[in-house]
Amino acid sequence: MPRPIWREMDWIAVDRSSRLRLWRMSGTDVLDRAEAPRPETRDALLAALPDWPGPVRVSGAADLWGLWVPVPCAVPAPVAKGRMTVLPGLTQERPLPDATAGTAAVAGLLAVHPQFDGTLVTTGARTVWTSVSAGEVTDMRSTVTGRLFASLDRPGPLDMPAFDETLRATLSRPETLAAQLASAPLAAPDQARARLSGALLGAELAATKPWWLGREVLVAGEGDLPALLVRALQAQGAAARFLPEEDLLLNGLRSR
């Protein structure tokens, strides 16, 4: 008879960035995964966690406790909150006011590659471009491309030549984004989806050029968006590649 999972478990990893994700862990091994809608209050988060006395390490919940550290800074140390430790988020005032509550991915990257000098991009409802140098976060930029992509996208095939064409057009003239989005649904279904994706990512790259031009870029996330973003960046000559998001998050929570 299998032993109950809690007998093997020695810590719990939690991420609340886009939705609630929970991993029951034994050292570096994932015993079980679960997910739920994103809790919007402290009480809702606490109610969603297992009733277990061991370590619980949480990322993406800095806003619930007002735990913010301004950049530039090293990835901040977690703060004890009852039976949990919570990773603080990051804020900046310039060049644009910005904030991100999820810092586990950056911590996970630096835990494995402490000398990394470049940009980590985490996709989701918000895409966050985080510049890292000399073990510190120097600045960041967030966009809502993921949210727009999720609300406008439709499942189906993707015509890559149409994606590449629309990406180039919107990157060179980002002021045409609204017109490109209006025009995309008039194309054939596979081209419509490609033109929508190309327009959104063309505008994304135009808004984030200082974060990718001449820099190494690592992209993490789920679904179609990370691969499309890597393709878009590589088409501009950027040294971009994909990293599994779960590995980054768990490395970051484990290392804190």
Side-chain angles (χ1 to χ4, degrees), residues 84-224:
M84 302 183 297
T85 54
V86 180
L87 270 65
L90 303 175
T91 62
Q92 74 175 21
E93 293 300 322
R94 296 178 182 178
L96 285 175
D98 209 337
T100 178
T103 52
V106 181
L109 172 62
L110 290 175
V112 178
H113 303 290
Q115 303 305 315
F116 177 75
D117 192 313
T119 299
L120 174 64
V121 186
T122 51
T123 64
R126 294 170 75 248
T127 301
V128 183
W129 298 67
T130 306
S131 291
V132 179
S133 183
E136 292 193 341
V137 174
T138 59
D139 54 35
M140 58 190 173
R141 170 149 297 178
S142 300
T143 73
V144 294
T145 298
R147 191 174 302 163
L148 293 171
F149 186 82
S151 65
L152 298 174
D153 190 34
R154 297 293 180 270
L158 202 68
D159 183 298
M160 297 317 298
F163 170 83
D164 294 337
E165 177 189 350
T166 311
L167 174 80
R168 288 192 297 269
T170 314
L171 175 57
S172 63
R173 296 188 61 195
E175 71 275 12
T176 66
L177 173 62
Q180 294 279 11
L181 294 178
S183 173
L186 303 179
D190 60 335
Q191 290 200 358
R193 185 168 187 252
R195 292 186 182 281
L196 167 70
S197 306
L200 288 172
L201 290 182
E204 171 101 4
L205 294 193
T208 58
K209 187 174 286 189
W211 283 264
W212 57 262
L213 186 63
R215 310 204 70 193
E216 181 179 1
V217 184
L218 304 178
V219 181
E222 300 176 306
D224 294 336

Side-chain angles (χ1 to χ4, degrees), residues 47-59:
L49 298 178
D51 184 13
W52 185 70
V56 178
R57 301 167 188 166
V58 182
S59 179

Side-chain angles (χ1 to χ4, degrees), residues 23-98:
W23 297 265
R24 293 175 174 87
M25 305 292 298
S26 176
T28 61
D29 296 329
V30 177
L31 301 176
D32 189 28
R33 296 171 176 84
E35 62 178 68
R38 186 175 189 262
E40 298 300 333
T41 66
R42 292 187 200 178
D43 289 343
L45 173 60
L46 293 170
L49 298 178
D51 184 13
W52 185 70
V56 178
R57 301 167 188 166
V58 182
S59 179
D63 55 310
L64 299 183
W65 279 273
L67 299 174
W68 302 104
V69 177
V71 298
C73 65
V75 177
V79 177
K81 292 294 177 182
R83 64 191 181 101
M84 302 183 297
T85 54
V86 180
L87 270 65
L90 303 175
T91 62
Q92 74 175 21
E93 293 300 322
R94 296 178 182 178
L96 285 175
D98 209 337

